[in-house]
């Protein structure tokens, strides 16, 4: 029986046909105007496409000089853009899956320029283009050899026993390992979008976040070996497709809706092309280093457990004695915030600071909001620890 004051229409009432929805009013004049505007934008876009040249979409244009090299690895020092603050030099360390050029995408979206304009002495390491001949290069080689040599060169050039490290993504893992193995050489360390606990995504269940973590854990160690041994590396093109699959709708719409929106705005159009140029430039990841990355870290989670071994020595996070600034993206679907924040209780210093910035994995470096905070946040933090 229905409650007093309510009406029970029963199944017949629930199944009763609904009144037809009135059609949307169409205005032929407005429709023709929109079609004409679309045609104009496509025409303007076609002219932009025909006029643009490679020089118009150059990235990483901040002036720098080659100061050291070994094998395929190069160390560059950026030319100053402002009066020096007299702080220890900063070495930017990017990962192997992408390019450091993301930190210097264009003049108005460049962490590198922001830091130089704030008076920092800046270096960057370029890992080059690993090929099949580099299939047996390991993370041990990158940390104990190449990175150690870069730090030694910078320290000698600057006349300092310690320098500052700025690690980005996988490069942040490298600097974390270095700071644990060589604490006497590091004045302060800035980590950005860096995974430390590769299983923390299981405790932060956010839809669409941590896809690479889930995918890697779904593989057996033998699957990883077969994937890499087929070519002797983890192909950059393959990882590019993995990143694209993480945001399928975004991937499908950016070459029509996003590009269409930029066709009649030269600045937006060139920004779009520069980002695509960086995305397309993915070097292959050396085979043995990739196996360590996927099996020791993503699958076995050895870094946060302080059981990761490099060069016969255990990477004990408690040996990190320098101040640490840990920057993460609040909406990072590749490196979920919890995977970075796990570092807080694992290191051997009380001078630990977190900086959560708006945006996603790449947006921290190229997004408008984050750009205003990242460079100044890093420079101010380092300045207080000079």
């Amino acid at each position: 029986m229905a409650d007093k004051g309510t009406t029970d229409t029963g199944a017949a009432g629930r199944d009763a046909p609904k009144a037809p929805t009135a059609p949307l009013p169409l205005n032929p004049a407005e429709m023709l105007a929109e079609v004409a505007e679309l045609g104009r934008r496509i025409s303007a876009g076609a002219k932009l496409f025909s006029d643009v040249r490679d020089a118009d979409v150059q990235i990483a244009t901040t002036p720098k000089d080659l100061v050291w090299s070994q094998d395929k690895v190069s160390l560059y020092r950026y030319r100053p853009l402002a009066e020096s603050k007299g702080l220890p030099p900063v070495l930017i360390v990017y990962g192997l899956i992408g390019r450091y050029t993301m930190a210097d995408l264009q003049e108005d979206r460049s962490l590198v320029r922001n830091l130089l304009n704030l008076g920092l002495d800046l270096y960057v390491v370029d890992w080059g283009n690993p090929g099949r001949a580099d299939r047996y290069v390991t993370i041990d080689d990158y940390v104990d050899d190449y990175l150690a040599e870069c730090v030694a060169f910078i320290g000698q050039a600057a006349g300092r026993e310690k320098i500052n490290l700025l690690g980005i993504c996988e490069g942040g893992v490298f600097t974390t390992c270095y700071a644990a193995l060589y604490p006497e050489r590091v004045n302060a360390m800035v980590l950005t979008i860096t995974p430390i606990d590769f299983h923390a995504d299981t405790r932060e269940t956010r839809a669409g976040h941590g896809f690479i973590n889930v995918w890697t854990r779904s593989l057996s160690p033998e699957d990883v070996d077969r994937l890499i041994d087929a070519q002797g590396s983890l192909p950059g093109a393959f990882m590019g497709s993995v990143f694209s699959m993480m945001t399928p709708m975004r991937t499908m719409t950016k070459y029509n809706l996003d590009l269409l929106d930029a066709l009649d705005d030269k600045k937006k159009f060139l920004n779009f092309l520069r980002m695509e140029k960086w995305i397309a430039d993915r070097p292959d990841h050396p085979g043995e280093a990739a196996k360590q990355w996927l099996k020791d870290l993503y699958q076995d989670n050895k870094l946060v457990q302080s059981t990761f071994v490099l060069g016969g020595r255990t990477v004990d996070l408690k040996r990190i004695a320098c101040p640490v600034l840990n920057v993460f993206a609040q909406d990072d679907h590749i490196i979920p915030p919890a995977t970075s924040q796990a570092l807080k209780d694992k290191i051997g210093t009380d001078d630990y600071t977190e900086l959560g910035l708006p945006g996603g994995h790449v947006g921290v470096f190229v997004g408008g909001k984050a750009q205003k905070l990242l460079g100044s946040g890093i420079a101010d933090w380092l300045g207080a620890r000079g």
Side-chain angles (χ1 to χ4, degrees), residues 64 72-76 92 99-100 124-129:
K64 59 184 182 297
K72 295 181 178 179
V73 179
S74 301
L75 177 67
Y76 294 93
I92 297 177
R99 293 282 188 199
Y100 75 91
V124 68
V125 59
D126 181 355
W127 304 120
N129 289 294

Side-chain angles (χ1 to χ4, degrees), residues 121-135:
D121 183 9
L122 210 58
Y123 291 77
V124 68
V125 59
D126 181 355
W127 304 120
N129 289 294
R132 286 183 64 86
D134 305 294
R135 65 184 303 167

Side-chain angles (χ1 to χ4, degrees), residues 121-311:
D121 183 9
L122 210 58
Y123 291 77
V124 68
V125 59
D126 181 355
W127 304 120
N129 289 294
R132 286 183 64 86
D134 305 294
R135 65 184 303 167
Y136 297 113
V137 177
T138 63
I139 294 179
D140 311 51
D141 297 315
Y142 282 106
V143 174
D144 269 333
D145 188 359
Y146 300 128
L147 182 53
E149 290 290 338
C150 288
V151 172
F153 177 90
I154 296 170
Q156 184 175 13
R160 292 179 179 266
E161 293 183 1
K162 298 182 178 183
I163 72 166
N164 296 322
L165 299 176
L166 198 171
I168 302 174
C169 196
E170 184 183 12
V173 172
F174 290 180
T175 61
T176 298
C177 292
Y178 181 87
L181 295 174
Y182 302 94
E184 71 281 0
R185 302 305 304 272
V186 185
N187 177 69
M189 178 171 64
V190 179
L191 300 178
T192 57
I193 54 174
T194 296
I196 299 296
D197 183 347
F198 289 75
H199 292 180
D201 60 291
T202 61
R203 299 186 293 277
E204 186 186 58
T205 54
R206 299 175 64 185
H209 287 62
F211 174 80
I212 291 182
N213 305 60
V214 175
W215 168 69
T216 307
R217 290 195 297 267
S218 73
L219 303 174
S220 69
E222 293 75 22
D223 289 333
V224 174
D225 289 340
R226 283 191 289 268
L227 170 66
I228 293 169
D229 290 342
Q231 187 167 315
S233 67
L234 184 62
F238 173 79
M239 287 308 301
S241 68
V242 170
F243 290 131
S244 294
M245 287 190 293
M246 293 179 68
T247 53
M249 291 304 297
R250 178 70 176 168
T251 299
M252 286 190 295
T253 60
K254 70 176 180 177
Y255 294 122
N256 41 57
L257 300 181
D258 290 356
L259 183 56
L260 184 63
D261 184 55
L263 282 181
D264 59 350
D265 186 325
K266 185 174 182 179
K267 182 177 180 180
K268 289 175 66 175
F269 178 67
L270 294 179
N271 288 351
F272 179 91
L273 293 182
R274 291 187 187 104
M275 177 58 71
E276 289 303 299
K277 187 172 186 177
W278 174 77
I279 290 173
D281 184 19
R282 290 199 182 278
D284 294 344
H285 198 297
E288 291 303 310
K291 289 180 182 180
Q292 290 172 287
W293 181 245
L294 296 179
K295 294 195 295 185
D296 289 349
L297 300 181
Y298 267 99
Q299 291 186 339
D300 295 340
N301 205 25
K302 292 182 178 180
L303 182 61
V304 75
Q305 298 169 8
S306 289
T307 58
F308 189 40
V309 176
L310 295 178

Side-chain angles (χ1 to χ4, degrees), residues 4 76 91 94 96 98 128 136 191 198 207 264 269 324 354 373:
K4 186 177 181 180
Y76 294 93
L91 173 60
Y94 202 81
L96 300 170
Y136 297 113
L191 300 178
F198 289 75
D264 59 350
F269 178 67
V324 175
E354 286 184 354
L373 302 171

